[in-house]
Amino acid sequence: FGGYGVYAVRNGIWENSGGGWSSPFPNNNNCNPARRTSHQLILGDPNQNEVFIFSGQGSCTGSQFESSCSISEPWATDVGTWCWLKDLYQLDLDNYNFTNILPVNEPTVQNFGTITYDYTESTFYFIGGYVPPAIYDGQFYNNTYFVPQLYKFQAGVDPGFVQITTVGNAPPDVLLNDLGGQQLFYDGINDRLVWIRKDGVWSIDLCAPVTGIDQVAECG
């Protein structure tokens, strides 16, 4: 889904069914969803032919040379401005239909980070992060820390992402340029989140007592 090259992004879909690549869904020009790069593709229910697409940077035009953003908060680059999309879409791979779950510029997406999905509870868990720069600063990623904060969003129950407070030994804050590749996984067998980063692997036990806004973690 999507891609980046020559200062532009696309939101077309490519797939490989064993005989090579094909594009069953051409680049979409109606901003639903907006074209994006730095998106996060989330696997859905293994019994459903679906994936989810979260947050990232992009715009309706897909051009990196835009000077402003009309659909969300700006995310400045060295040659222009992306939009910080702050949205959540479901992509049905049976018919290539996008369904918006959380809108562009969703106010409860307060940081940029990494996300995973508990398909048994229709719950997204998100660790952020940092706030992208609205004004370009060549040293931003050298001077800005990724500060771990945990959020959850249960579709059909929560109005948006709700921050929850963890207990135990949290991973340290780390400069963005030192964070390296990272990925968050939902481990349903052990009812936990597993966060893999360059500097180590952490787990968040979803059965451990946590506090948030009128909520306590529940064990199935």
Side-chain angles (χ1 to χ4, degrees):
F1 171 76
Y4 174 79
V6 198
Y7 301 106
V9 294
R10 299 174 57 85
N11 63 359
I13 298 170
W14 289 79
E15 67 176 24
N16 190 321
S17 58
W21 288 97
S22 62
S23 180
F25 183 89
N27 196 40
N28 184 10
N29 294 317
N30 64 10
C31 200
N32 184 28
R35 306 184 194 185
R36 68 191 65 208
T37 184
S38 298
H39 59 270
Q40 299 193 63
L41 207 62
I42 311 158
L43 295 179
D45 186 334
N47 298 310
Q48 302 292 328
N49 201 14
E50 65 180 3
V51 293
F52 297 91
I53 300 163
F54 177 66
S55 194
Q57 54 181 322
S59 68
C60 292
T61 66
S63 172
Q64 191 176 348
F65 293 108
E66 295 285 356
S67 60
S68 62
C69 179
S70 61
I71 61 174
S72 187
E73 297 181 28
W75 185 334
T77 73
D78 57 338
V79 296
T81 301
W82 293 124
C83 304
W84 179 18
L85 298 172
K86 299 198 293 184
D87 56 11
L88 179 63
Y89 277 86
Q90 178 194 46
L91 171 57
D92 185 335
L93 295 175
D94 287 326
N95 54 25
Y96 307 107
N97 182 59
F98 291 95
T99 299
N100 182 248
I101 299 174
L102 289 175
V104 169
N105 210 23
E106 163 60 38
T108 61
V109 180
Q110 301 179 30
N111 300 281
F112 184 75
T114 185
I115 191 170
T116 191
Y117 180 55
D118 170 7
Y119 65 87
T120 65
E121 299 291 341
S122 299
T123 300
F124 297 86
Y125 290 96
F126 165 62
I127 296 180
Y130 67 96
V131 176
I135 299 175
Y136 178 69
D137 176 0
Q139 294 300 310
F140 177 83
Y141 293 92
N142 290 322
N143 298 326
T144 302
Y145 283 88
F146 190 104
V147 180
Q149 295 174 315
L150 178 64
Y151 302 83
K152 83 169 186 71
F153 165 62
Q154 186 172 15
V157 176
D158 299 321
F161 280 95
V162 178
Q163 184 175 354
I164 54 180
T165 303
T166 60
V167 297
N169 298 318
D173 300 352
V174 61
L175 287 170
L176 295 180
N177 273 346
D178 295 333
L179 181 63
Q182 59 165 328
Q183 186 66 55
L184 185 66
F185 297 95
Y186 171 69
D187 174 7
I189 294 177
N190 297 296
D191 203 14
R192 65 179 180 174
L193 305 179
V194 178
W195 189 18
I196 301 174
R197 328 192 311 187
K198 179 181 178 180
D199 59 349
V201 179
W202 280 263
S203 69
I204 301 173
D205 183 357
L206 297 177
C207 289
V210 296
T211 58
I213 301 175
D214 299 327
Q215 66 177 344
V216 176
E218 298 179 355
C219 298

